Amino acid sequence: QVQLVESGGGLVQAGGSLRLSCRASGRTFSSYAMGWFRQAPGKEREFAGISRSGGSTYYPDSVKGRFTISRDNAKNTVYLQMNSLKPEDTAVYYCAAKLNDYVLEYAYWGQGTQVTVSS
């Protein structure tokens, strides 16, 4: 069983920055693919990016150039650096883990952390 705990959410003005953290349990974190997702009120969950086990990343167009995912395998932690935040980035942000790069589904999810961007 893998437990994920997010932190770092909060209230920020438009144009500001926040860094979210997600700490994972487990002894093989370096093999996990770690994804970030977000869900705004009344909307479906949206993919916000992924860090594959080797460290390569991928972002959807909605956040590309503004969000950066990094990971510290020694600390079992993945980060989501969010810059140039917009009110439409307001959502609950979740990290999720796939036990390797090849499975399709994220097996483990964090509890989420609220990010609110004021205009």
Side-chain angles (χ1 to χ4, degrees):
Q1 188 76 5
V2 176
Q3 293 184 324
L4 304 175
V5 179
E6 299 105 333
S7 61
L11 174 64
V12 64
Q13 289 188 332
S17 299
L18 277 176
R19 188 178 80 156
L20 306 183
S21 300
C22 172
R23 181 176 173 85
S25 64
R27 293 178 289 180
T28 57
F29 176 78
S30 61
S31 68
Y32 301 166
M34 299 298 298
W36 284 96
F37 294 79
R38 62 186 184 181
Q39 188 165 22
K43 295 188 176 181
E44 292 187 355
R45 186 172 61 198
E46 177 187 20
F47 172 69
I50 185 173
S51 169
R52 301 182 182 91
S53 63
S56 64
T57 54
Y58 172 82
Y59 307 93
D61 288 344
S62 57
V63 307
K64 191 178 296 182
R66 301 188 299 121
F67 289 12
T68 302
I69 299 174
S70 61
R71 62 194 295 161
D72 185 339
N73 289 335
K75 296 182 178 180
N76 277 20
T77 301
V78 64
Y79 303 97
L80 179 65
Q81 177 68 43
M82 304 184 293
N83 298 329
S84 302
L85 283 162
K86 307 174 182 179
E88 52 263 43
D89 295 317
T90 294
V92 177
Y93 283 71
Y94 300 89
C95 67
K98 295 195 285 185
L99 297 184
N100 60 66
D101 292 332
Y102 307 103
V103 297
L104 294 179
E105 294 189 0
Y106 289 85
Y108 302 100
W109 292 81
Q111 81 287 354
T113 186
Q114 177 69 47
V115 171
T116 303
V117 184
S118 63
S119 57

